[in-house]
Amino acid sequence: SQQGEEDPQALSIQEGENATMNCSYKTSINNLQWYRQNSGRGLVHLILIRSNEREKHSGRLRVTLDTSKKSSSLLITASRAADTASYFCATDAGFGQTGANNLFFGTGTRLTVIP
Amino acid sequence: GAGVSQSPRYKVAKRGQDVALRCDPISGHVSLFWYQQALGQGPEFLTYFQNEAQLDKSGLPSDRFFAERPEGSVSTLKIQRTQQEDSAVYLCASSFWDPVTSTDTQYFGPGTRLTVL
């Protein structure tokens, strides 16, 4: 079973508007990551937020993390048509010494930005 | 530099056939992962390699699934006697451990879309 659940499942907005997607997860995490997937393409890493961080910015992206509520949000400001894609949150529980951990993905939010 | 590549991009197999999916990770990446993504779902972990060692195969759905990475670089995911429920996109990712940030970021390939008829 998958670790996270994104909300909403689908979101449609006008170009220039902000888009907010939420993610909830079930177990303790080492970090949480957000990925974008365009139709027919692989996953592109957007941003990583550690479990001891509460907010992180990268360009037009803003991610928050609330470990007490086991939830995260991704905000995309001033959206563009090119932002149309599926967005997934992914968590890892941390395997320690190797540092390489398999990711648990949510079900994704399908974002459509209308020009 | 080049990213993760996968081949073939599309594969159609008749039920019962064996298939082999290839992954070329980013050069120098120690870790390699395979994921399975069903239509409309997020990717689900299949197996993980550190160099040539398969450290975790807990996500492989059955003994028909087999993965190898004999020289610690290219990896092959093999599915024997394919079934219709094996139809999915198979994603490969590679990563390296960054000791400065204490994180590893997985870089994904474009995937192989397998359709079993």
Side-chain angles (χ1 to χ4, degrees):
Chain A
S1 63
Q2 295 184 325
Q3 163 78 308
E5 295 289 335
E6 277 92 342
D7 169 55
Q9 291 188 345
L11 178 62
S12 184
I13 59 174
Q14 294 290 328
E15 199 167 31
E17 293 181 338
N18 296 341
T20 299
M21 289 160 271
N22 303 297
C23 166
S24 60
Y25 57 92
K26 299 175 183 175
T27 62
S28 297
I29 61 170
N30 191 37
N31 62 61
L32 185 144
Q33 306 179 44
W34 285 89
Y35 283 82
R36 182 185 71 221
Q37 186 175 43
N38 294 93
S39 178
R41 297 187 182 182
L43 290 150
V44 174
H45 182 261
L46 296 177
I47 194 167
L48 179 151
I49 186 165
R50 296 180 186 225
S51 60
N52 61 354
E53 297 177 311
R54 292 297 167 259
E55 187 172 313
K56 202 162 184 179
H57 297 255
S58 177
R60 294 185 296 114
L61 305 180
R62 173 178 169 255
V63 169
T64 61
L65 178 64
D66 187 334
T67 53
S68 66
K69 295 181 180 178
K70 291 187 170 58
S71 67
S72 174
S73 68
L74 171 67
L75 168 67
I76 304 174
T77 60
S79 63
R80 306 167 182 168
D83 294 330
T84 294
S86 291
Y87 291 81
F88 294 90
C89 68
T91 57
D92 82 68
F95 288 160
Q97 58 184 1
T98 68
N101 312 298
N102 58 287
L103 299 174
F104 294 92
F105 285 84
T107 51
T109 292
R110 176 68 191 172
L111 173 66
T112 301
V113 181
I114 303 167
Chain B
V4 178
S5 61
Q6 292 185 246
S7 61
R9 290 293 310 277
Y10 303 91
K11 177 69 178 177
V12 178
K14 291 183 178 178
R15 188 164 57 92
Q17 282 185 331
D18 298 347
V19 298
L21 313 179
R22 177 187 170 107
C23 172
D24 285 78
I26 294 172
S27 178
H29 279 195
V30 169
S31 299
L32 185 146
F33 302 81
W34 284 98
Y35 293 84
Q36 180 190 59
Q37 185 175 22
L39 187 64
Q41 299 294 313
E44 292 204 1
F45 169 75
L46 293 177
T47 187
Y48 156 61
F49 289 86
Q50 186 179 65
N51 294 307
E52 69 278 7
Q54 189 175 20
L55 298 186
D56 188 344
K57 54 182 180 179
S58 62
L60 296 176
S62 77
D63 58 8
R64 296 186 295 104
F65 287 70
F66 172 76
E68 60 182 5
R69 194 186 185 196
E71 298 181 357
S73 178
V74 171
S75 177
T76 303
L77 176 67
K78 297 179 180 178
I79 309 173
Q80 297 176 324
R81 305 180 304 282
T82 53
Q83 304 294 315
Q84 285 188 323
E85 60 263 29
D86 299 336
S87 295
V89 175
Y90 290 85
L91 296 166
C92 175
S94 68
S95 73
F96 73 97
W97 173 251
D98 184 342
V100 175
T101 60
S102 296
T103 59
D104 66 281
T105 297
Q106 294 186 27
Y107 297 89
F108 283 79
T112 294
R113 182 177 296 278
L114 173 65
T115 303
V116 182
L117 302 176

